[in-house]
Amino acid sequence: MEVEKKIVLRSPCREGKKLLVLDIDYTLFDHRSIAENPLELVRPYLHEFLTAAYAEYDIIIWSATSMKCVELKMGQLGVLDNPHYKITAMLDHMAMITVQSDRYGVFVCKPLGLIWAHFPEFYSPKNTIMFDDLLRNFVMNPQNGLAIRPFKKAHANRSSDQELMKLTQYLLAIADLDDLSVLDHKNWESQ
C-alpha cells in the first residue's frame, strides 16, 4: 500500500492516547546554526517535553525533509532510543501534498487526514494536535494546528527559550478533553 511507504511505524499505537504530531526543523531543532555537536542545537527541554507528552499522547514526527534526514537528526538527538518515551511513527516530505491557497499560493503541507486514514481506530481530528513553526502546514487541518515559535540562533537563545516547557503544561492541561479540535490553539498561552 502506498501510504505504508510514507509512514515509518516504530512503535504500536496505544489505545486511548491522543496524538501529538511534531515538526523537526525550527520546532525541535535549529537546523541552520553551526555547531560541533548537534546536541548544541536541540531546543531546550526536548526530552522532558517528550517524556511528559508520552504519558498522554502517542508521538509522530513529521518533517519536510527526507526520511534519511529525519532518522539521522532524531537519532543524533537521542529521540529514537530514549528509555522514557517512544516515537510511534515518522513521516517525511513524501507524505506531504501540494495545495493552493489565497494566502500562501502553491505550497506543500502536512495533511493529518493521511494519518487518520491509516490509523482510524486510534486517531481523528478530535484527539490530534500538531506543532509546527509554519502556519501553512495547518492549511488542511487548521483546527488541529498549534504554531510554535521557531527556535533559531540556538547559541544565543538556548538559555532563554522556554517554549517546550510551556507547551508541556498546555498539552497536559488539555489531555483529558474529549475534542481538541474545538480549542483555539492560537491562544494556547492564555488558556
Side-chain angles (χ1 to χ4, degrees):
M1 185 179 193
E2 186 65 29
V3 171
E4 289 175 14
K5 292 179 186 174
K6 295 178 181 179
I7 298 176
V8 175
L9 192 64
R10 294 191 50 88
S11 298
C13 302
R14 299 176 297 157
E15 188 71 39
K17 297 297 180 184
K18 290 184 168 46
L19 176 62
L20 172 62
V21 180
L22 296 170
D23 175 50
I24 299 173
D25 294 338
Y26 291 145
T27 299
L28 305 179
F29 179 77
D30 175 3
H31 73 291
R32 295 276 187 204
S33 293
I34 297 170
E36 290 183 23
N37 184 329
L39 295 175
E40 296 175 37
L41 304 177
V42 68
R43 192 167 208 150
Y45 309 106
L46 173 65
H47 296 292
E48 296 87 347
F49 165 74
L50 292 173
T51 299
Y54 184 70
E56 303 293 335
Y57 298 80
D58 282 346
I59 302 166
I60 290 182
I61 305 292
W62 194 343
S63 178
T65 59
S66 70
M67 187 56 66
K68 184 177 180 178
C69 287
V70 173
E71 290 172 342
L72 180 66
K73 287 176 186 175
M74 293 296 92
Q76 288 179 331
L77 299 181
V79 170
L80 299 183
D81 59 359
N82 194 290
H84 303 292
Y85 57 84
K86 294 184 185 322
I87 301 301
T88 301
M90 298 187 303
L91 293 89
D92 67 1
H93 67 97
M94 297 299 291
M96 297 175 74
I97 62 169
T98 302
V99 296
Q100 180 174 355
S101 78
D102 293 338
R103 183 173 183 182
Y104 302 110
V106 177
F107 63 99
V108 293
C109 71
K110 300 173 181 176
L112 291 171
L114 179 93
I115 296 170
W116 300 330
H118 194 67
F119 304 107
E121 65 279 18
F122 294 101
Y123 313 126
S124 72
K126 289 185 171 190
N127 70 357
T128 302
I129 186 167
M130 178 167 61
F131 293 175
D132 201 305
D133 65 300
L134 297 175
L135 281 171
R136 68 176 184 245
N137 279 325
F138 308 137
V139 75
M140 299 289 293
N141 314 99
Q143 75 282 5
N144 298 98
L146 188 151
I148 190 168
R149 286 181 189 87
F151 181 60
K152 298 179 180 181
K153 299 179 182 172
H155 301 296
N157 295 317
R158 184 178 26 243
S159 63
S160 62
D161 187 279
Q162 305 257 321
E163 193 84 347
L164 293 181
M165 187 185 299
K166 293 175 185 175
L167 284 165
T168 299
Q169 296 168 356
Y170 180 69
L171 277 179
L172 297 179
I174 66 172
D176 290 334
L177 298 177
D178 292 330
D179 188 353
L180 301 183
S181 68
V182 300
L183 298 173
D184 183 359
H185 298 301
K186 283 181 240 144
N187 298 316
W188 69 272
E189 290 179 282
S190 62
Q191 293 189 29

